Amino acid sequence: MSAAPAYSEDKGGSAGPGEPEYGHDPASGGIFSSDYKRHDDLKEMLDTNKDSLKLEAMKRIVAMIARGKNASDLFPAVVKNVACKNIEVKKLVYVYLVRYAEEQQDLALLSISTFQRGLKDPNQLIRASALRVLSSIRVPIIVPIMMLAIKEAASDMSPYVRKTAAHAIPKLYSLDSDQKDQLIEVIEKLLADKTTLVAGSVVMAFEEVCPERIDLIHKNYRKLCNLLIDVEEWGQVVIISMLTRYARTQFLSPTQNESLLEENAEKAFYGSEEDEAKGAGSEETAAAALPARKPYIMDPDHRLLLRNTKPLLQSRSAAVVMAVAQLYFHLAPKAEVGVIAKALVRLLRSHSEVQYVVLQNVATMSIKRRGMFEPYLKSFYIRSTDPTQIKILKLEVLTNLANETNIPTVLREFQTYIRSMDKDFVAATIQAIGRCATNIGRVRDTCLNGLVQLLSNRDELVVAESVVVIKKLLQMQPAQHGEIIKHLAKLTDNIQVPMARASILWLIGEYCEHVPRIAPDVLRKMAKSFTAEEDIVKLQVINLAAKLYLTNSKQTKLLTQYVLSLAKYDQNYDIRDRARFTRQLIVPSEQGGALSRHAKKLFLAPKPAPVLESSFKDRDHFQLGSLSHLLNAKATGYQELPDWPEEAPDPSVRNVEVPEWTKCSNREKRKEKEKPFYSDSEGESGPTESADSDPESESESDSKSSSESGSGESSSESDNEDQDEDEEKGRGSESEQSEEDGKRKTKKKVPEGKGEASSSDEDSDSSSSTSESEMTSESEEEQLEPASWRRKTPPSSKRAPATKEISLLDLEDFTPPSVQPVSPPAIVSTSLAADLEGLTLTDSTLVPSLLSPVSRVGRQELLHRVAGEGLVVDYTFSRQPFSGDPHMVSVHIHFSNSSDTPIKGLHVGTPKLPAGISIQEFPEIESLAPGESATAVMGINFCDSTQAANFQLCTQTRQFYVSIQPPVGELMAPVFMSENEFKKEQGKLMGMNEITEKLMLPDTCRSDHVVVQKVTATANLGRVPCGTSDEYRFAGRTLTSGSLVLLTLDARQAGAAQLTVNSEKMVIGTMLVKDVIQALTQ
Amino acid sequence: MKMIHSLFLINCSGDIFLEKHWKSVVSQSVCDYFFEAQEKAADVENVPPVISTPHHYLISIYRDKLFFVSVIQTEVPPLFVIEFLHRVADTFQDYFGECSEAAIKDNVVIVYELLEEMLDNGFPLATESNILKELIKPPTILRSVVNSITGSSNVGDTLPTGQLSNIPWRRAGVKYTNNEAYFDVVEEIDAIIDKSGSTVFAEIQGVIDACIKLSGMPDLSLSFMNPRLLDDVSFHPCIRFKRWESERILSFIPPDGNFRLISYRVSSQNLVAIPVYVKHSISFKENSSCGRFDITIGPKQNMGKTIEGITVTVHMPKVVLNMNLTTTQGSYTFDPVTKVLTWDVGKITPQKLPSLKGLVNLQSGAPKPEENPSLNIQFKIQQLAISGLKVNRLDMYGEKYKPFKGVKYVTKAGKFQVRT
């Protein structure tokens, strides 16, 4: 179906009364009378089974979004199609979802599971696109899900998925900046990636999340330099800009000792400029000569950067060229910066926006490094067809480039410009001439003469601008220019531009001794027209009067007094003030004699000539090419370009040492090897095992350390030293790197622990080397704990590994290895397990009872007395299984009649339900007498979502629209299982399906009873017996799909607790965590 | 770098006809700052590309009578955004044949799909035309008919494999029955000629545009007779830079379809041949409401080729009311509103030089214009690269078939301006 009709239909359809522009579209008016109706129409199309209709509807919706129309009310209808088979429908749904998810967070959660499924797809592109959409939905509640997904994707085999992970990092960061530390870990990992695909994206993430962590770059610096040329253009820009900053912190300024090194530098630098190979060679020789008191030698890494970025000056992308240009400008030795000029000049052929930006940067550069652009002077010549803003920038550059030798040509060009029809441009040219005249003494007279000629120009703006510039020029050598001042004085009759008039008056006043005859006459004329002048002119008239009074009071005394009295009654208070002030100063009176004696010194002091400067001077303290530079103001998020360090920081930080390298690559290899086995769902079981810090995993690590020390003692005779060393290593790694990542450990354990339980020593070593230190928080908990645990464990130290084995092997995911080991040690271990179980059971203080309290959500109002015209309806979630359909939540509905007439024929009217939700109506209540109450039970299948069930409650006479929205805890029913079963099931629901949250239990909520009651009140779950006190487990199944919901609350530390929910239904899990925490912390 | 937050497309009359947000929604009202700047700028060309507002920065481009206004929140290299926006406009051009309001509105869904693929969270994702075309098929009349019958869609159901390879610019599995590779060497002369006819500034800018329809994964190398002529070259990412540096050979695996292989500047040491000259006499009399206008064009250093497609455009001063001209060849128009005189000359035949002369009517009472308008000249010379650049040979490796190869040369006037 083509898009065209879709759009026009939308246009037509959107013709509401508020939109006159489409109001007269005849095609639409008849069919769709209002927005409301039209949306109904779209909803219908979305609900059909026909993909073509859905597509048509989605196209129209997207067209609405494109126009900026609100289509948010279609959210429920659209979101259902997220799993649609048709790929185009799906894509458009994604577009919609990303646009509106933020506004409709609860509903957006319904789509999450689709993406979660996508994250595990064998096709890398589907994985990537699922992650992309998931991370684009700005719903804070899914932050933990996003975090997990990103972590997982960061170690995906496909570089494309890893790239997507890098893209997702800033998204998550902007959603929840508390995740920074974890994200930095992911960034660090991705920075080590060797593919070009990932490099640009991860540096972008780095710049966004942690630009200050320059230390993360060290080890990757050389790799980034070498990859650079193969990275895609956008990534190149980001990397180059980051490396510029990096280099400024790590290397010494190449210009600092230039004067000392002149001769030597020339050789090296020119060599490298002409031919890179040769340049590198000469540098090596220079490096060889290092001890021979050479004060500055460029760090080879610095050189590497310059060498590897240079070819990119030939990129087709203007952004890349500009990035390299700024890098050279900020980092290269003076003699080498020249190479960028050619490339920048090339960009002047590009679009006018590109020209605009490039010229701004050239203007700044040309002040510092004039020589570099001089050969290209003519490329900045101005065409009459250039836009004014480009003309003015080119003029700026031309002015900066003008020097003794080229000034004649430049001035000739300026002459043509002065005759342009574009008056703004002419004014700028006149100023440019003034600047040339101040900068280059030789042409000052020529310029001045030229400007004076312009005074007879027909255009007043030109004349005015000339006067202003002449004034500035005259200040430099006034004595020689009496004639010009006279000429200017004559102009006061004609020229009307206030700024120019003011300038002339100031000039005459300042140099009145050069024009003694004319000055009083000018004052006379100005006194006449004083009241009609602009404010700045008035001020200068007062100024002129004062000065003349001081030099030539005979002729001007009366005039001055006249002017001052006029000014005294002026409307502008500045002028009144000035008049009063001036009068006090110049007119001698009895009291104020002291000041007026010095009045001449005050008014006629010699004044320094103004310096005409470029507005681009000193702009280079902003990084060139940046937005801040362009605006000449610090933009939000601008990273200051640091100054060169005094002393070079240790260059060895960038060394990627060989041993470490191999270790690293080993690790990498191992990871790669492991991937097919561990990377997916199984891999997740590791970290989560330790993350919930259930007693088993703890005892595991503990028993290991104890057995380790034990073995250390026993073998101390044989080779003491070795052992010590080993032990030290083992301890060091444990304490330093904390308990590391449980993942690796457990992984290692499974295969190795098969036969030999005593291999723990070796084990801990290898685990420390493979560590990733993800769960640092864990370590604290463990370190506080050991005392109590150590005491307990020694007796069972030998058995512990065995039990652990069981728990691990119970994770059915490891099916192949699990079968084997069970058989030989089975007899021992199972019995041990039973042993332990028994032990723990006796330990537990709470007899596993199944409390089934009533829902926390007590009676809720469905219909208020007033709205119901006397009929009051409440409902409760009874938590009893609904007899008709086990998938339904049973809801008790209480009716009472508070009116004084009987209410007849109470029943449920035609429900209008979202997809999947169904209702089992209650039998009709025939009559409800006044004051009487009745209770009915109805079943609602909420389809495992918290969407509201909307239906009508009808009486014989009336219909009431009501809706029941279930709290998430009511969507499940308790199941009963043993601790072992629980753990087994929990093992299957790791990774993405697990949500963990830390919380502080308030004092009121420390006792077992309270905790259990609060949890079960919030969610309809059953208590699972538990081996340890202070740990609570609950289990349930969602009603519709029967998915398990497992809840673990670990409150072993005073106050601090950790809540874990494992469920296939991620959304339910997430919401449940939220609800339970709320209940517990209230 | 947060990059691009939102994009608004605005037409010349100030209607926002499309908006796309990559993060939270930014209200349309942010464009008011843009309109304000536009008003201040008087004409469209002078709207500053970067505008600072209290909470955002607006970076805009003007293409084909449309404004592409992007909303930025934090520091970002402005050229990065500008380059990207032009890439978007190029893509529209590529997909719809033109980048106009009507084309965008007609294909709004495809536009949206494209924008969705091109940026992720405001950072460019897939911008190569080859990849995009795998993801989203361009509309053709045939396809839209077929689609409406079969109900199939424009979105490719194959996944973009190019995105994964290390040559992201080429799609996999290209197949043609006729394998062809064409190269157009197009050179443009930029020049400023002063009143007296001497050259103030002239240089040659060239591009090589390629149209490659070759099956499989061909590896091409293109060599020149005189590569030293090329002074400053910028490359398509497919070109192997090292090979050029060492051997001056363009070696590359080409994208499929049309693309710009290189653009170059001919070194400024070489004198630039100026193929045409203009004799002109334009004068406005003081204190009278008329002036004289007389221009003649003739061939100069044209290397024996015919100069064709000549047009002369003159922006006359504001005081000019009308022009009464006669021409010996071609036709002329004068727009009294914009004051633009356009003379479509056509071919030059040396026997009879084309000229345009007559009277200029000025607004009475207004002072005479000080400046004579400059003349902007367009022309074209087929089968000639004015710099003398010549392709030596094209070799193909990696595939067995024999492709059909062709090179075409053309010289055009670039920014060619004669001051009078």
Side-chain angles (χ1 to χ4, degrees), chain A residues 1-16:
Chain A
M1 227 158 268
S2 87
Y7 193 82
S8 56
E9 254 163 274
D10 162 64
K11 247 164 74 177
S14 67

Side-chain angles (χ1 to χ4, degrees), chain B residues 303-364:
Chain B
M303 319 275 179
K305 308 265 181 190
T306 330
I307 304 170
E308 49 187 44
I310 301 176
T311 41
V312 179
T313 320
V314 190
H315 290 259
M316 299 303 288
K318 285 204 179 65
V319 290
V320 173
L321 284 182
N322 216 335
M323 300 183 80
N324 257 325
L325 307 173
T326 49
T327 170
T328 59
Q329 188 182 331
S331 59
Y332 82 95
T333 53
F334 177 74
D335 182 342
V337 179
T338 56
K339 316 284 182 198
V340 175
L341 168 75
T342 314
W343 178 28
D344 192 347
V345 186
K347 239 182 246 180
I348 297 189
T349 40
Q351 294 77 26
K352 195 175 164 229
L353 297 180
S355 69
L356 178 71
K357 58 177 101 180
L359 289 178
V360 184
N361 296 324
L362 301 180
Q363 205 176 313
S364 56

Side-chain angles (χ1 to χ4, degrees), chain A residues 323-446:
Chain A
V324 179
Q326 65 83 23
L327 182 134
Y328 262 72
F329 183 79
H330 290 298
L331 300 180
K334 251 188 198 149
E336 283 172 73
V337 180
V339 297
I340 64 175
K342 201 191 267 183
L344 288 175
V345 169
R346 185 182 66 230
L347 297 184
L348 296 181
R349 282 273 300 176
S350 189
H351 302 285
S352 91
E353 296 87 7
V354 175
Q355 284 184 47
Y356 177 83
V357 177
V358 171
L359 282 170
Q360 296 249 2
N361 286 288
V362 170
T364 306
M365 290 183 192
S366 59
I367 288 172
K368 267 262 167 73
R369 307 266 157 89
R370 184 163 63 193
M372 144 176 142
F373 291 101
E374 256 178 47
Y376 304 98
L377 182 75
K378 288 187 174 177
S379 303
F380 300 99
Y381 280 6
I382 293 156
R383 292 180 170 78
S384 59
T385 40
D386 287 330
T388 310
Q389 53 182 354
I390 299 288
K391 282 180 185 163
I392 287 170
L393 284 168
K394 280 186 171 175
L395 202 58
E396 177 72 37
V397 176
L398 285 174
T399 316
N400 291 342
L401 294 182
N403 62 15
E404 293 274 346
T405 47
N406 63 22
I407 188 73
T409 23
V410 173
L411 282 181
R412 209 176 314 132
E413 267 299 296
F414 284 179
Q415 263 167 21
T416 15
Y417 302 161
I418 281 171
R419 287 185 288 128
S420 165
M421 284 178 264
D422 183 344
K423 291 306 165 203
D424 290 337
F425 170 51
V426 174
T429 309
I430 293 167
Q431 282 184 0
I433 294 174
R435 264 180 56 205
C436 287
T438 41
N439 295 341
I440 304 158
R442 194 162 69 85
V443 294
R444 194 169 298 150
D445 290 344
T446 329

Side-chain angles (χ1 to χ4, degrees), chain A residues 288-305:
Chain A
L290 174 77
R293 72 172 171 89
K294 286 289 171 276
Y296 173 75
I297 294 289
M298 186 183 277
D299 188 304
D301 286 328
H302 190 169
R303 172 53 66 198
L304 176 77
L305 178 60

